[in-house]
Amino acid sequence: SDEDEDDDRGGGDDADGGRDIDHVDANNDLASQRSRGPFHIHDLYGGFQRIDFEDLCVLDHIDHRDNVGRFAAAIVNDIDYEQNRVHIKYVGWQSKWDIWCPVTQMYNRTRFCRAGEISTRAIHRAEFQHLTERELKQMTVQCRLAKYWYKNHADVDQNTSEQWRDAVIKRIDRDSGQCQLVIKIANKQYLWWTHLDFEDEVKCKIPPAPGNEGGGGGTAVPHQNLNTS
């Protein structure tokens, strides 16, 4: 099932070659400026405001957000100009996880950004930055799922896409500030990835008190039983 997609994905079949699309170097001054704090999703990776569909080439290296919300290093495997879609290969994953991503809709365009911009971005948001991985994994937060997720889940009310939902952080990505959440909708649980800097998608269940934005146990609700095991 797609709820378990990320955990079941097999590795291997690495791809190489091609060019990076404005790859972000962590030691670069421009990259440092972009990494100083939290951001609104559409402000930072404005999708094809930064990567124009017309400028993409086969073998370009980019970050792409997969069907469970995780930004991963990817390669443009093919481009279908007639149907306005891009064939994506995730670096290090088997070809069975390759996908065609339409780019006509804005909610799919925001799944694309420059190589390394999100997949290697650390946490810079004050209320999460100083927490350990152990503390983060005990947090209950509130989240919103991306619009494209709802398009892939016709059984979930599309009118609730702006709704904040309780979620439990299950794990933290080893290469970035992305985290995997467990979200319960009706009687079903879903796994979803987001970056803890995404103010439009994730927030503390209890906002930090004034003067206490630097993190700490008071900013989060202790883990609640959503049967995450």
Side-chain angles (χ1 to χ4, degrees):
S1 68
D2 63 353
E3 292 85 354
D4 300 321
E5 178 177 341
D6 188 74
D7 289 332
D8 294 341
R9 203 158 50 179
D13 196 18
D14 286 353
D16 52 21
R19 61 182 180 134
D20 289 350
I21 295 288
D22 294 329
H23 180 76
V24 175
D25 183 345
N27 297 317
N28 187 292
D29 289 340
L30 182 60
S32 176
Q33 290 177 5
R34 290 191 177 116
S35 302
R36 288 179 179 169
F39 51 85
H40 295 284
I41 290 177
H42 298 287
D43 292 342
L44 182 67
Y45 64 85
F48 284 77
Q49 295 172 13
R50 296 191 182 277
I51 301 178
D52 292 326
F53 177 54
E54 294 78 8
D55 293 338
L56 283 178
C57 297
V58 173
L59 295 183
D60 278 348
H61 286 242
I62 60 173
D63 271 7
H64 187 264
R65 198 173 197 182
D66 66 16
N67 287 335
V68 291
R70 191 176 193 172
F71 275 93
I75 293 176
V76 175
N77 212 28
D78 196 3
I79 300 174
D80 183 346
Y81 291 99
E82 291 185 359
Q83 298 189 48
N84 289 329
R85 58 181 187 163
V86 179
H87 192 255
I88 298 295
K89 174 176 181 55
Y90 296 108
V91 177
W93 299 107
Q94 296 175 358
S95 58
K96 68 178 182 177
W97 300 111
D98 296 357
I99 65 169
W100 280 101
C101 184
V103 294
T104 326
Q105 306 90 347
M106 182 55 69
Y107 58 77
N108 272 332
R109 293 186 178 192
T110 56
R111 298 173 68 176
F112 293 75
C113 67
R114 300 172 306 157
E117 178 136 40
I118 305 298
S119 65
T120 63
R121 179 187 171 94
I123 303 171
H124 294 86
R125 192 169 166 186
E127 58 262 45
F128 297 116
Q129 186 177 24
H130 301 291
L131 297 178
T132 65
E133 180 176 347
R134 181 183 179 88
E135 289 172 325
L136 287 169
K137 289 171 68 174
Q138 295 176 350
M139 285 179 65
T140 296
V141 295
Q142 289 191 311
C143 80
R144 290 193 293 202
L145 294 143
K147 189 171 183 179
Y148 77 86
W149 182 91
Y150 286 89
K151 298 298 181 181
N152 294 332
H153 293 80
D155 57 322
V156 178
D157 185 356
Q158 307 289 300
N159 295 321
T160 63
S161 61
E162 296 298 316
Q163 179 178 332
W164 287 97
R165 303 178 185 276
D166 286 353
V168 171
I169 297 178
K170 183 178 182 181
R171 59 190 175 115
I172 306 296
D173 180 44
R174 66 176 180 270
D175 297 319
S176 70
Q178 295 183 95
C179 65
Q180 187 184 46
L181 305 174
V182 180
I183 306 162
K184 188 173 183 180
I185 302 177
N187 294 320
K188 196 171 183 179
Q189 292 182 351
Y190 299 90
L191 299 179
W192 174 251
W193 284 85
T194 190
H195 197 292
L196 287 171
D197 281 354
F198 288 175
E199 291 187 326
D200 293 336
E201 281 194 8
V202 63
K203 64 181 181 179
C204 292
K205 189 172 174 68
I206 299 177
N212 189 34
E213 291 84 358
T219 64
V221 172
H223 171 82
Q224 296 178 359
N225 183 16
L226 289 184
N227 297 320
T228 59
S229 58

